[in-house]
């Protein structure tokens, strides 16, 4: 859903707050060849800190290091926060495409409308929430 099967995926990174030690989801993400970058939550408010800024920074760094506009390279952002608009616009300003993937209720209208492509996750809810088959 994030990238069509006929497209090359250059790098997959999941950013988030540090999970509990016994959290199996993060290990499944690592097993799927994602890099995982985590940050501690605020000690005072227990709110997520640094995640969005780190993600935006890495997208821009990687775009200069690995991506080429003349090859049609596209960044994929699985998020919905309008705070990513400056990053998206910067990528587009250099001729790179941006695909945003998010839930309909969780995406900023402006982010959705600014993206070159928008993939809505809602129609895929059953697939995404289905427990894995036991082999």
């Amino acid at each position: 859903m994030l990238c069509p099967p006929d497209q090359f995926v250059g790098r997959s990174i999941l950013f988030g707050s540090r999970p509990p030690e016994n959290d199996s989801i993060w290990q499944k993400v690592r097993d799927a060849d994602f890099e995982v970058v985590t940050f501690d939550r605020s000690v005072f408010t227990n709110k997520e800190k640094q995640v969005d800024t780190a993600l935006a920074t890495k997208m821009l760094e990687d775009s200069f290091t690995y991506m080429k506009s003349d090859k049609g390279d596209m960044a994929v952002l699985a998020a919905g926060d309008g705070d990513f608009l400056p990053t998206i616009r910067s990528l587009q300003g250099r001729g790179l495409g941006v695909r945003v993937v998010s839930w309909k209720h969780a995406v900023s209208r402006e982010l959705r409308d600014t993206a070159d492509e928008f993939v809505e996750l809602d129609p895929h809810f059953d697939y995404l929430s289905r427990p894995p088959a036991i082999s």
Side-chain angles (χ1 to χ4, degrees):
M1 278 172 267
L2 298 176
C3 294
D6 62 334
Q7 293 182 357
F8 173 74
V9 176
R11 190 170 192 183
S12 301
I13 308 173
L14 175 66
F15 288 82
S17 295
R18 192 170 315 284
E21 291 297 321
N22 62 350
D23 189 301
S24 62
I25 293 174
W26 291 80
Q27 188 55 50
K28 288 180 192 252
V29 170
R30 285 184 186 92
D31 293 346
D33 293 328
F34 276 72
E35 295 175 49
V36 174
V37 178
T38 59
F39 297 91
D40 291 326
R41 289 181 170 270
S42 166
V43 183
F44 303 108
T45 64
N46 196 35
K47 290 189 178 183
E48 198 169 72
K49 300 304 293 175
Q50 301 182 50
V51 174
D52 289 355
T53 304
L55 192 162
T57 301
K58 182 55 73 180
M59 283 181 76
L60 288 173
E61 285 176 353
D62 282 0
S63 76
F64 282 102
T65 305
Y66 303 110
M67 299 175 75
K68 304 275 187 247
S69 61
D70 60 344
K71 293 188 177 191
D73 287 347
M74 177 172 278
V76 179
L77 173 66
D81 192 326
D83 288 348
F84 288 106
L85 280 162
T87 303
I88 301 310
R89 289 181 178 132
S90 176
L91 293 165
Q92 290 172 327
R94 294 188 15 253
L96 297 167
V98 178
R99 177 182 300 129
V100 171
V101 181
S102 185
W103 301 102
K104 184 177 182 178
H105 72 277
V107 66
S108 151
R109 181 180 44 80
E110 193 173 4
L111 183 68
R112 181 193 66 218
D113 293 346
T114 300
D116 297 289
E117 295 178 15
F118 175 68
V119 177
E120 185 180 307
L121 290 173
D122 298 54
H124 307 286
F125 177 80
D126 289 340
Y127 173 77
L128 293 169
S129 62
R130 179 179 346 148
I134 299 173
S135 39

